Amino acid sequence: MDLGIIGQAAGLFAVTNIDDILILALFFAQGAGHPGSTRRIVLGQYLGFAAILAVAVAAAFGATFLPESAIPYLGLLPLALGLKAAWQAWKDHRDGSGDEEAEQTKEGGPSPLEVAAVTFANGGDNIGVYVPVFATAGIGGMTVYAAVFLVLVAVWCFAGRFFATRPVIAKALARWGHILLPLVLIAIGLLILIKGGAFGL
């Protein structure tokens, strides 16, 4: 196995997914104190990233079931989830903290599908970077890239959870996380839509 390819794969993953650590930290903060939330977040992250890989690999082999013009519209996913989270935070604030605690206990943090949707939508631009790399790497190189990426997803999840559980950061996220998460998701959604020129933006 070529160490050069492993290094390139690690570098490519880090550069294209650096923003995911913040999103993961917010998700882990949202799920703090809920049994099984870590498992659900990690599962969602893997589902979302596996979908990114599947689309990139298929495109590298010439399949175009996701047209390039459709990628900017993936921004609608985090935008919708951000608006939903903002509505929930506003409703909880209006109803009082007791209801907020009940709601959080019921929901238990983000679901795997919510995490997967944000991961996939936020990785729309990753697909554009991965396709030419995969296309020139051949099947052997592509396999190494995919394996390194999947190992690093676990590292990213660990880093996100690590930051979310540091006392100073955890305190800040506990206090502001219900505001930060919707803002970050809405910003990501708008950025993807605007950057990709969706709806003629």
Side-chain angles (χ1 to χ4, degrees):
M1 192 176 282
D2 187 355
L3 288 176
I5 294 182
I6 294 173
Q8 287 167 23
L12 184 63
F13 182 91
V15 167
T16 54
N17 292 285
I18 196 73
D19 51 343
D20 272 0
I21 292 179
L22 170 63
I23 299 164
L24 280 165
L26 288 167
F27 278 141
F28 281 119
Q30 190 186 30
H34 300 292
S37 67
T38 297
R39 190 177 65 247
R40 287 191 293 275
I41 293 164
V42 172
L43 174 63
Q45 185 71 6
Y46 265 101
L47 285 173
F49 199 80
I52 291 169
L53 270 183
V55 172
V57 168
F61 281 117
T64 54
F65 57 86
L66 189 69
E68 203 172 312
S69 58
I71 289 177
Y73 294 95
L74 291 174
L76 292 171
L77 287 170
L79 181 61
L81 289 168
L83 290 171
K84 180 188 166 211
W87 168 253
Q88 189 63 55
W90 178 79
K91 213 166 74 166
D92 289 342
H93 179 72
R94 190 194 61 187
D95 294 345
S97 59
D99 289 342
E100 183 181 348
E101 282 170 23
E103 186 65 33
Q104 283 182 344
T105 306
K106 188 178 79 179
E107 288 195 350
S111 74
L113 286 179
E114 285 176 332
V115 177
V118 172
T119 302
F120 184 71
N122 194 35
D125 54 345
N126 295 21
I127 294 168
V129 176
Y130 296 163
V131 171
V133 174
F134 286 0
T136 54
I139 293 175
M142 210 184 296
T143 306
V144 174
Y145 271 96
V148 172
F149 285 1
L150 291 173
V151 168
L152 288 176
V153 168
V155 174
W156 250 232
C157 289
F158 176 81
R161 192 168 188 281
F162 175 82
F163 287 123
T165 54
R166 295 309 89 197
V168 175
I169 299 172
K171 194 175 175 185
L173 290 178
R175 186 170 182 187
W176 302 106
H178 66 290
I179 296 168
L180 276 175
L181 183 64
L183 284 178
V184 168
L185 293 179
I186 290 167
I188 287 170
L190 290 173
L191 196 66
I192 293 168
L193 289 168
I194 293 165
K195 209 165 75 172
F199 303 112
L201 294 169

